[in-house]
Amino acid sequence: DDSREFISKLIKDKFDSCEVLDAIQLAYDVPITDDEALSDDVRDEFMSQSATGRFLITLCYLNSQLVRDRLADPQDPTDQAYAQALYDDYQPKIADVMTNPSSSYVLTQADGDTYSDLLTMLYGSGVIDATEQSVMESLKTTHESAMNGMNRSQVMAYMDHYTVLDSVVTAVEAMPALQMVGEAQALGGLE
């Protein structure tokens, strides 16, 4: 689709690297910036292929300074260890799904449980507030049963439904710290 290719090119031209990756690496001591090419593939070949994904890309760039501020310091060693274990578990899965569109990996209840555990850790360390945790958990509950058992292409198709986009936009509107409009700034490394 020409519009998707245009959006992908526009994103690549506007943003050199993802400051959010730098902030995550600093806070959790995970080698995520080594996976910048994989992150670009997730953004360009997966997220940008759906209306919801494009909204989330924009949301990420509009709020990159908020993420940087919240992850400005290294996190507690226990949280770092959890993040490192999560990275070690999911990085190969994501790499497989991104390099192999016909990968047999499908979303499971365990993935949803991991998401909830991650939200709990982020709330406990002050990275997200109680409202954000509650809203993001509610969003998971709304979509979890539909998404369980979906592979990459099914998830992309699901995320392209405007009812899904509307539910995500409504969730974001309930999180007052997040900026939804404005001009995203070109990003580089941490300043």
Side-chain angles (χ1 to χ4, degrees), residues 91-159:
Q91 190 279 346
K93 294 174 185 176
I94 293 169
D96 174 57
V97 168
M98 292 312 301
T99 58
N100 179 12
S102 61
S103 169
S104 63
Y105 189 80
V106 297
L107 293 175
T108 66
Q109 180 65 45
D111 296 318
D113 294 344
T114 299
Y115 173 82
S116 293
D117 292 344
L118 176 61
L119 292 179
T120 299
M121 184 272 288
L122 293 172
Y123 171 69
S125 63
V127 174
I128 61 175
D129 65 27
T131 299
E132 293 163 346
Q133 180 189 19
S134 175
V135 168
M136 288 188 275
E137 185 65 38
S138 176
L139 195 57
K140 178 201 116 179
T141 301
T142 299
H143 297 285
E144 184 173 38
S145 64
M147 294 180 73
N148 276 343
M150 285 188 178
N151 63 24
R152 173 185 166 169
S153 62
Q154 291 166 324
V155 171
M156 287 191 316
Y158 182 77
M159 289 174 58

Side-chain angles (χ1 to χ4, degrees), residues 4 7-12 14-15 18-20 39-64 67 159 165 168 172 179-180 182-185 187:
R4 289 178 181 166
I7 290 168
S8 292
K9 183 180 179 330
L10 184 64
I11 289 167
K12 239 182 193 160
K14 179 78 173 162
F15 304 105
C18 183
E19 285 185 352
V20 172
S39 175
D40 289 349
D41 286 346
V42 170
R43 180 194 62 211
D44 299 340
E45 305 301 324
F46 178 74
M47 297 297 285
S48 70
Q49 305 304 307
S50 68
T52 302
R54 290 187 294 274
F55 173 75
L56 292 172
I57 291 168
T58 302
L59 190 70
C60 182
Y61 285 123
L62 287 172
N63 292 281
S64 63
V67 174
M159 289 174 58
L165 174 61
V168 173
V172 171
Q179 178 182 345
M180 285 182 36
E183 185 174 331
Q185 300 299 311
L187 305 176

